[in-house]
Amino acid sequence: MLDALDIRTGLNDGDLVADAVVILRIVTTEGRSDVRTTWSAGMDWVTRRGLIEVARDADRIPPQEETE
């Protein structure tokens, strides 16, 4: 599903994804927009809420340029 939407993660070789939360906007068969979430199996609610809050911050803060 994520591949079909051309979602890119920027993972490097050897990086391991430990957990994931996915926020979906769905258009139902009735034409309504709906927002749903799904998350990694076994993820507790504290981790889920923490990832969502960190993602909100990451979305608001512009990327920093790397310095050498």
Side-chain angles (χ1 to χ4, degrees):
M1 175 176 40
L2 297 177
D3 287 341
L5 294 171
D6 198 26
I7 304 292
R8 301 190 189 276
T9 60
L11 295 174
N12 296 316
D13 287 340
D15 289 349
L16 299 174
V17 177
D19 291 302
V21 175
V22 179
I23 302 168
L24 308 163
R25 185 179 72 87
I26 298 169
V27 178
T28 67
T29 56
E30 295 86 24
R32 279 189 339 242
S33 283
D34 196 7
V35 174
R36 299 181 191 169
T37 59
T38 188
W39 48 87
S40 305
M43 181 185 291
D44 62 60
W45 71 271
V46 173
T47 302
R48 186 170 67 243
R49 292 293 304 153
L51 279 174
I52 291 169
E53 290 303 312
V54 168
R56 287 179 58 182
D57 289 343
D59 193 49
R60 288 187 289 232
I61 300 169
Q64 301 290 319
E65 290 187 28
E66 292 185 26
T67 57
E68 294 185 37

